[in-house]
């Protein structure tokens, strides 16, 4: 990838360097997504590295490529958000949006951004802790307020979008609630003190479970792709509940069959490993379990 970038850009004149780099980055993004359809493939991670490499060479300030620049930022952040969940060694950083106007009509983009922010913050706090710094308790109301504002904004957007399909709107609102509860649970898992986790997570998990059951009963295509992250978070909080585990396995299997995203098989395998480890010992935080076993566990992207 590095040699291809160097040779491709080097042999182009200045006027065509940008288009050559754009083509390479778009190819890497396409390959990254393509790998997600291949069972047991971890190639998406290699191509994501390629996207990062190309992105570092791309001039985001190019006024003639503003839409493309915005698209690259959105795609990289999207892939980073769901691919960084199982990564603890690579550095993470947020990229500033080029424009407030997104290139996609993804209703749940704000939650993707929040998810990535939570992950970046968790990695940063862990790094500081390992360096011997004393960590101040996270003010979880700030995260809850941020997620609630996103929820209200997206809900209003769904409501204001003209649609003749009432079932679709109901499905989207259900997905929204599931994403909201999943991000709330994840924020507490990643950033809260043990005491706050004990108090806050169980009722949120109950809400998440009920919403997932409801949303999977909605016969809309909008549900299929957007169930993966809520389902994963529910799985991480169900290590002591075998009945939930059965439901989660079934829904993940059905989801993989419906979407073709075989990459979620690795997600399900991680959950099984986590459940088995918990059954053999005491309950633990899945993030620490994944961190401790990163070398052994196959990297996964929740998609």
């Amino acid at each position: 990838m590095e040699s291809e970038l160097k040779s491709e850009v080097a042999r182009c004149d200045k006027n065509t360097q940008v288009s050559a780099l754009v083509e390479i980055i778009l190819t890497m993004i396409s390959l990254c997504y393509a790998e997600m359809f291949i069972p047991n493939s971890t190639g998406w991670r290699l191509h994501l590295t390629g996207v990062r490499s190309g992105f570092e060479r791309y001039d985001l300030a190019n006024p003639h490529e503003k839409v493309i620049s915005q698209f690259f930022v959105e795609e990289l952040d999207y892939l980073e958000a769901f691919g960084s969940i199982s990564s603890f060694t690579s550095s993470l950083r947020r990229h500033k949006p080029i424009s407030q106007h997104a290139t996609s009509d993804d209703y749940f983009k704000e939650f993707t951004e929040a998810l990535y922010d939570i992950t970046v913050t968790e990695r940063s706090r862990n790094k500081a802790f390992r360096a011997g710094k004393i960590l101040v308790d996270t003010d979880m109301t700030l995260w809850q307020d941020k997620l609630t504002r996103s929820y209200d904004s997206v809900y209003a957007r769904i409501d204001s979008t003209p649609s003749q399909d009432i079932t679709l709107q109901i499905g989207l609102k259900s997905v929204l609630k599931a994403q909201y509860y999943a991000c709330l649970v994840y924020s507490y898992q990643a950033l809260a003190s043990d005491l706050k986790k004990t108090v806050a997570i169980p009722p949120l998990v109950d809400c998440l479970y009920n919403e997932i059951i409801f949303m999977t009963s909605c016969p809309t295509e909008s549900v299929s792709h957007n169930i993966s992250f809520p389902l994963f978070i529910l799985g991480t909080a169900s290590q002591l509940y075998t009945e939930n585990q059965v439901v989660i396995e079934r829904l993940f299997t059905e989801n993989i069959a419906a979407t073709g995203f075989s990459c979620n098989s690795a997600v399900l395998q991680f959950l099984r490993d986590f459940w088995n480890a918990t059954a053999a010992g005491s309950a633990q935080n899945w993030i620490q379990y994944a961190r401790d076993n990163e070398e052994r566990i196959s990297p996964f992207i929740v998609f």
Side-chain angles (χ1 to χ4, degrees):
M1 175 64 198
E2 289 289 336
S3 60
E4 179 67 18
L5 278 168
K6 291 176 182 177
S7 63
E8 186 68 26
V9 174
R11 67 171 175 257
C12 295
D13 58 51
K14 194 169 183 179
N15 293 328
T16 57
Q17 281 182 1
V18 172
S19 60
L21 189 54
V22 166
E23 185 175 338
I24 291 173
I25 296 174
L26 288 174
T27 300
M28 291 296 103
I29 292 174
S30 299
L31 289 172
C32 195
Y33 282 119
E35 289 289 342
M36 296 180 195
F37 290 94
I38 302 174
N40 303 316
S41 173
T42 57
W44 60 268
R45 201 170 191 177
L46 174 64
H47 298 309
L48 179 53
T49 301
V51 176
R52 292 193 196 106
S53 296
F55 192 80
E56 289 170 0
R57 290 167 170 78
Y58 185 76
D59 181 12
L60 291 173
N62 187 336
H64 303 295
E65 305 288 349
K66 192 172 183 179
V67 174
I68 294 177
S69 297
Q70 176 72 2
F71 171 76
F72 284 164
V73 169
E74 290 175 10
E75 286 300 306
L76 181 55
D77 279 354
Y78 191 77
L79 292 167
E80 292 271 27
F82 292 101
S84 63
I85 286 178
S86 66
S87 176
F88 299 90
T89 53
S90 59
S91 59
L92 305 176
R93 62 188 179 91
R94 290 283 284 117
H95 305 100
K96 290 185 178 180
I98 307 302
S99 167
Q100 295 302 312
H101 303 288
T103 60
S104 70
D105 58 354
D106 181 8
Y107 283 106
F108 311 109
K109 181 176 178 294
E110 291 180 54
F111 289 102
T112 303
E113 293 174 350
L115 162 64
Y116 194 33
D117 285 340
I118 292 167
T119 302
V120 170
T121 304
E122 194 280 336
R123 302 299 188 268
S124 176
R125 285 175 61 83
N126 181 261
K127 183 178 180 181
F129 177 76
R130 287 189 287 108
K133 296 181 180 179
I134 298 176
L135 300 181
V136 178
D137 278 358
T138 303
D139 185 352
M140 297 307 298
T141 58
L142 296 178
W143 289 97
Q144 185 168 354
D145 289 347
K146 178 179 181 178
L147 290 168
T148 300
R149 285 195 300 271
S150 295
Y151 173 86
D152 292 340
S153 172
V154 177
Y155 193 96
R157 185 180 165 200
I158 293 173
D159 251 356
S160 64
T161 302
S163 175
Q164 301 298 321
D165 191 342
I166 302 300
T167 303
L168 175 60
Q169 281 209 332
I170 293 174
L172 286 172
K173 288 178 180 178
S174 180
V175 172
L176 170 61
K177 291 178 183 177
Q179 294 281 353
Y180 172 64
Y181 289 128
C183 283
L184 279 174
V185 172
Y186 181 52
S187 69
Y188 276 93
Q189 290 175 330
L191 305 175
S193 65
D194 289 342
L195 178 59
K196 289 180 180 177
K197 285 179 181 142
T198 303
V199 174
I201 289 179
L204 290 173
V205 169
D206 287 341
C207 293
L208 176 59
Y209 177 84
N210 291 334
E211 207 56 54
I212 285 177
I213 295 303
F214 177 78
M215 70 185 275
T216 51
S217 68
C218 296
T220 59
E221 293 182 2
S222 63
V223 169
S224 296
H225 172 53
N226 290 294
I227 190 179
S228 301
F229 178 68
L231 200 54
F232 169 70
I233 292 299
L234 178 63
T236 63
S238 299
Q239 66 267 48
L240 300 178
Y241 305 99
T242 53
E243 290 184 2
N244 282 12
Q245 293 172 16
V246 172
V247 173
I248 291 164
E249 285 208 59
R250 176 177 61 80
L251 291 177
F252 250 124
T253 302
E254 291 175 355
N255 177 254
I256 293 167
T259 63
F261 285 122
S262 296
C263 58
N264 284 324
S265 296
V267 179
L268 180 55
Q269 186 56 52
F270 168 79
L271 289 176
R272 288 169 178 153
D273 290 345
F274 178 57
W275 295 336
N276 290 335
T278 304
S282 59
Q284 56 184 312
N285 186 307
W286 73 268
I287 298 174
Q288 192 57 48
Y289 173 79
R291 178 180 280 114
D292 293 342
N293 294 276
E294 184 177 14
E295 291 186 5
R296 179 181 62 81
I297 296 172
S298 175
F300 59 85
I301 182 168
V302 184
F303 203 76

